[in-house]
Amino acid sequence: MIDPNSCHRGIFSIDGPLPGYAFPTTVSYTPLGERLWTATDGIYRTVFAEGDEGVVAFDTFWSPAAAGSYRTAIDRLLPRRELHTVVYSHEHLDHCGFAEDLAPEASTILAHEEAAAVIAARGSDGQVVPTETWGGERKGFEIDGVAFELINPGATHGAGNVAAHFPEAGVLFMVDTVIPGVGYTFFPDWHLDSYLPNMRRLESLEWDTFVPGHFWPLDRQSFGDNLAYYERISEAASEALAEGVDPDDFPAIDAWAKERLRAEHGRLFRFDEYIGMNVMRYMAHHRTGGWGLEDAGGVVEGSL
Amino acid sequence: MSAALEATPVADGVWTAAAGDYCSIFASAGEEVVAVNGFGSPALAGAYAEAIRATVPGSRIVAVIASIDHLDHSAQASELAGAGELVAHELCARVLESRGQRPTRLLAEDAELELAGHRFSLLYRGPSQGTGNLAVHLPEQRLLFLLGPRADARYGLFPDMHFRHLTRVWRELAELEVDAVVPGRGPTMDVDGLRRAADYVDALAEASQRAFADGLPIWVIEAMAPYAQEALQDRFGDLDGFDRHVGIGAIRLVHYYLMGGWGLEDTARPELLLRD
């Protein structure tokens, strides 16, 4: 068991125990290919691969305890294997913040240079600074017999957020972009100006199964439907602004969104939880013109 | 239809210009005028120019200071500046230029400028809200204009706020010798009001962390709103908009801690943004 008083704390600044970081989750795993697996605790999801000698794990889960549960799951499936490589999908702590708990022995921590810059400057407790970085848009890797390509389609969510393509398994893994159902809360750190065009670049790749960072895998149709949802919410936010809904007043936006969008999208997973927040974020985006340099000319033209 | 915009004197040779909740300032000596931002629509920018002309007859805008990149404040800054200067922080300028605006004077650090007979101190103390957000200080008038802090609790989603540095920046600026702090939105306040704005955000940050530590489902508004209300009611329940805004604010803030912040702005080294 992890001690909530002494566990890694990310960037939490309050005193006292952090039981939320010490609560052990149950991580299960499912095969995606001959040596490729997906692991989930029911909410977070990632992938890991069996190498010739050891294990290549993507991401770390969301807390010190969850990272430990992820490691337990890997060790159960692939006992006595060295977890020598951790690949970060992006830089956020809730997916990549706890390599010290997952694999303190890992000799290689791999990330895109844009993610690595944030990680190094952040200095979060428990997050390991990448030992190896790469730049640009695409790069193929073969690590311990595990072949994959990392792809940065441009600004989507977070910094240096990359997709991992496993052509042999027909799998594309990418975190906090397409997620089943409506969007997560208020689209935290989504770069909405460029999100859709950059994500659609991934549709040109050969894959059958999209493994998201949360909940369950999707097929190509569901991937496209999910992106179309963003288009609709962007339009709905414009409608709300035109109708004079206060873009800062969440209760008013939530009521407007549920009344206006329930018939169209009410059956989507987590509609009631997040539809108001989804619309609110797009309203703020339209009003302010985007958040940060990522939203200023972040659309990448051309195919991958 | 013309937009309504009200100009009100706030210090010697300086006026506030308000359109609903939004606010800016302009300063004049003789016929020369320096305006801040320019509001978010052509209609409001036109009303702003009209209000300036009505307040300072025969005036000419010699410079516009774009204090932030957000469209709802500075979408029309370039048009308002016309043949005059458009001043912006270098980071803000990158965003403005991506939208076709044309800043003419770029600042990478604090700067003292003499414009239209007034001394302006343009201060960048790190990421607070938006990109390259400048505080506009008129030391002789003991006045500060700043986008981000509010005299009330109507922050909504805290759009584009960078919590790693936000309240430190506000507290540093509250040490300036000023009598009035004009925020970009909401009522004018004083430095004690600015400190209280920082206190509110800090208290909300602590409450949102406690909610996570206490095992709340931090993504659920029905859980976070009552938790944050109870935690902050005694100290901040008097702030206008508190009940309707505190819950979504708590959800926004707890994700800062859960995710680690958003980009280099939320790290210890935001100056890396200035690299090419």
Short mmCIF file of all heavy atoms in Angstrom, two decimals, chain A residues 2 21-25 27 41 60-71 102:
data_model
loop_
_atom_site.label_atom_id
_atom_site.label_comp_id
_atom_site.label_asym_id
_atom_site.label_seq_id
_atom_site.Cartn_x
_atom_site.Cartn_y
_atom_site.Cartn_z
N ILE A 2 0.41 2.24 -0.72
CA ILE A 2 1.12 3.52 -0.76
C ILE A 2 0.63 4.39 0.39
O ILE A 2 -0.57 4.45 0.69
CB ILE A 2 0.89 4.19 -2.13
CG1 ILE A 2 1.68 3.44 -3.19
CG2 ILE A 2 1.24 5.66 -2.10
CD1 ILE A 2 1.53 3.96 -4.57
N TYR A 21 -4.46 10.01 -4.08
CA TYR A 21 -3.30 9.51 -4.82
C TYR A 21 -2.85 8.13 -4.32
O TYR A 21 -2.01 7.49 -4.97
CB TYR A 21 -2.13 10.49 -4.71
CG TYR A 21 -2.04 11.48 -5.85
CD1 TYR A 21 -2.99 11.53 -6.86
CD2 TYR A 21 -0.98 12.37 -5.94
CE1 TYR A 21 -2.91 12.44 -7.90
CE2 TYR A 21 -0.87 13.29 -6.98
CZ TYR A 21 -1.85 13.31 -7.96
OH TYR A 21 -1.74 14.20 -9.00
N ALA A 22 -3.36 7.71 -3.17
CA ALA A 22 -2.89 6.45 -2.58
C ALA A 22 -3.90 5.32 -2.74
O ALA A 22 -3.60 4.18 -2.39
CB ALA A 22 -2.59 6.67 -1.10
N PHE A 23 -5.07 5.64 -3.25
CA PHE A 23 -6.12 4.64 -3.38
C PHE A 23 -5.80 3.68 -4.53
O PHE A 23 -5.69 4.09 -5.68
CB PHE A 23 -7.47 5.32 -3.64
CG PHE A 23 -8.60 4.37 -3.81
CD1 PHE A 23 -9.15 3.73 -2.71
CD2 PHE A 23 -9.11 4.09 -5.08
CE1 PHE A 23 -10.20 2.84 -2.88
CE2 PHE A 23 -10.16 3.19 -5.24
CZ PHE A 23 -10.69 2.58 -4.13
N PRO A 24 -5.62 2.39 -4.22
CA PRO A 24 -5.26 1.45 -5.29
C PRO A 24 -6.46 1.11 -6.17
O PRO A 24 -7.53 0.78 -5.67
CB PRO A 24 -4.77 0.21 -4.53
CG PRO A 24 -5.46 0.28 -3.21
CD PRO A 24 -5.72 1.73 -2.91
N THR A 25 -6.28 1.23 -7.47
CA THR A 25 -7.34 0.86 -8.41
C THR A 25 -7.08 -0.56 -8.90
O THR A 25 -6.02 -1.14 -8.67
CB THR A 25 -7.36 1.81 -9.61
OG1 THR A 25 -6.08 1.75 -10.24
CG2 THR A 25 -7.62 3.23 -9.16
N VAL A 27 -6.58 -2.71 -12.15
CA VAL A 27 -6.27 -2.57 -13.57
C VAL A 27 -6.41 -3.93 -14.25
O VAL A 27 -5.79 -4.91 -13.80
CB VAL A 27 -4.86 -1.99 -13.77
CG1 VAL A 27 -4.46 -2.02 -15.24
CG2 VAL A 27 -4.79 -0.56 -13.22
N ASP A 41 -8.36 0.88 -15.82
CA ASP A 41 -8.98 0.77 -14.48
C ASP A 41 -10.46 1.11 -14.56
O ASP A 41 -11.10 1.40 -13.55
CB ASP A 41 -8.26 1.68 -13.47
CG ASP A 41 -8.38 3.16 -13.80
OD1 ASP A 41 -9.01 3.50 -14.83
OD2 ASP A 41 -7.87 3.99 -13.03
N THR A 60 1.54 6.15 -17.54
CA THR A 60 1.77 5.67 -16.16
C THR A 60 0.51 5.57 -15.32
O THR A 60 0.58 5.28 -14.15
CB THR A 60 2.74 6.62 -15.42
OG1 THR A 60 2.05 7.84 -15.10
CG2 THR A 60 3.98 6.92 -16.24
N PHE A 61 -0.65 5.90 -15.90
CA PHE A 61 -1.89 6.09 -15.14
C PHE A 61 -1.82 7.37 -14.31
O PHE A 61 -0.87 8.12 -14.38
CB PHE A 61 -2.25 4.86 -14.33
CG PHE A 61 -3.02 3.83 -15.15
CD1 PHE A 61 -2.41 3.16 -16.18
CD2 PHE A 61 -4.35 3.56 -14.89
CE1 PHE A 61 -3.10 2.23 -16.95
CE2 PHE A 61 -5.05 2.64 -15.66
CZ PHE A 61 -4.43 1.97 -16.69
N TRP A 62 -2.87 7.60 -13.50
CA TRP A 62 -3.17 8.96 -13.03
C TRP A 62 -2.69 9.29 -11.63
O TRP A 62 -2.85 10.43 -11.19
CB TRP A 62 -4.67 9.19 -13.13
CG TRP A 62 -5.49 8.20 -12.33
CD1 TRP A 62 -5.93 6.98 -12.73
CD2 TRP A 62 -5.97 8.37 -11.00
NE1 TRP A 62 -6.64 6.35 -11.74
CE2 TRP A 62 -6.68 7.20 -10.66
CE3 TRP A 62 -5.86 9.40 -10.05
CZ2 TRP A 62 -7.29 7.02 -9.42
CZ3 TRP A 62 -6.47 9.22 -8.81
CH2 TRP A 62 -7.16 8.04 -8.51
N SER A 63 -2.18 8.32 -10.91
CA SER A 63 -1.77 8.57 -9.52
C SER A 63 -0.65 7.59 -9.17
O SER A 63 -0.43 6.60 -9.88
CB SER A 63 -2.95 8.35 -8.56
OG SER A 63 -3.25 6.96 -8.46
N PRO A 64 0.04 7.85 -8.06
CA PRO A 64 1.06 6.87 -7.65
C PRO A 64 0.48 5.47 -7.45
O PRO A 64 1.08 4.47 -7.89
CB PRO A 64 1.58 7.46 -6.34
CG PRO A 64 1.35 8.93 -6.47
CD PRO A 64 0.07 9.07 -7.23
N ALA A 65 -0.69 5.40 -6.82
CA ALA A 65 -1.29 4.08 -6.58
C ALA A 65 -1.76 3.43 -7.87
O ALA A 65 -1.60 2.22 -8.07
CB ALA A 65 -2.46 4.21 -5.60
N ALA A 66 -2.34 4.23 -8.77
CA ALA A 66 -2.79 3.67 -10.04
C ALA A 66 -1.60 3.19 -10.87
O ALA A 66 -1.69 2.17 -11.57
CB ALA A 66 -3.60 4.70 -10.82
N ALA A 67 -0.48 3.92 -10.79
CA ALA A 67 0.73 3.46 -11.48
C ALA A 67 1.18 2.13 -10.92
O ALA A 67 1.60 1.22 -11.67
CB ALA A 67 1.84 4.51 -11.34
N GLY A 68 1.07 1.98 -9.59
CA GLY A 68 1.42 0.70 -8.98
C GLY A 68 0.49 -0.42 -9.43
O GLY A 68 0.93 -1.56 -9.67
N SER A 69 -0.79 -0.10 -9.55
CA SER A 69 -1.75 -1.10 -10.02
C SER A 69 -1.47 -1.50 -11.46
O SER A 69 -1.62 -2.68 -11.84
CB SER A 69 -3.18 -0.55 -9.90
OG SER A 69 -3.50 -0.25 -8.56
N TYR A 70 -1.08 -0.53 -12.27
CA TYR A 70 -0.72 -0.79 -13.67
C TYR A 70 0.48 -1.74 -13.70
O TYR A 70 0.48 -2.75 -14.43
CB TYR A 70 -0.39 0.56 -14.31
CG TYR A 70 0.02 0.57 -15.76
CD1 TYR A 70 -0.35 -0.40 -16.68
CD2 TYR A 70 0.77 1.66 -16.24
CE1 TYR A 70 0.03 -0.32 -18.01
CE2 TYR A 70 1.15 1.76 -17.57
CZ TYR A 70 0.79 0.75 -18.45
OH TYR A 70 1.17 0.85 -19.77
N ARG A 71 1.46 -1.48 -12.86
CA ARG A 71 2.63 -2.35 -12.82
C ARG A 71 2.27 -3.76 -12.36
O ARG A 71 2.78 -4.76 -12.90
CB ARG A 71 3.69 -1.74 -11.90
CG ARG A 71 4.97 -2.57 -11.79
CD ARG A 71 5.60 -2.75 -13.19
NE ARG A 71 6.77 -3.59 -13.18
CZ ARG A 71 8.02 -3.12 -13.05
NH1 ARG A 71 8.24 -1.82 -12.93
NH2 ARG A 71 9.05 -3.94 -13.06
N LEU A 102 5.65 3.67 -11.39
CA LEU A 102 5.43 2.57 -12.33
C LEU A 102 6.70 1.76 -12.54
O LEU A 102 6.66 0.52 -12.48
CB LEU A 102 4.96 3.13 -13.69
CG LEU A 102 4.85 2.10 -14.81
CD1 LEU A 102 3.69 1.14 -14.55
CD2 LEU A 102 4.69 2.79 -16.18
#
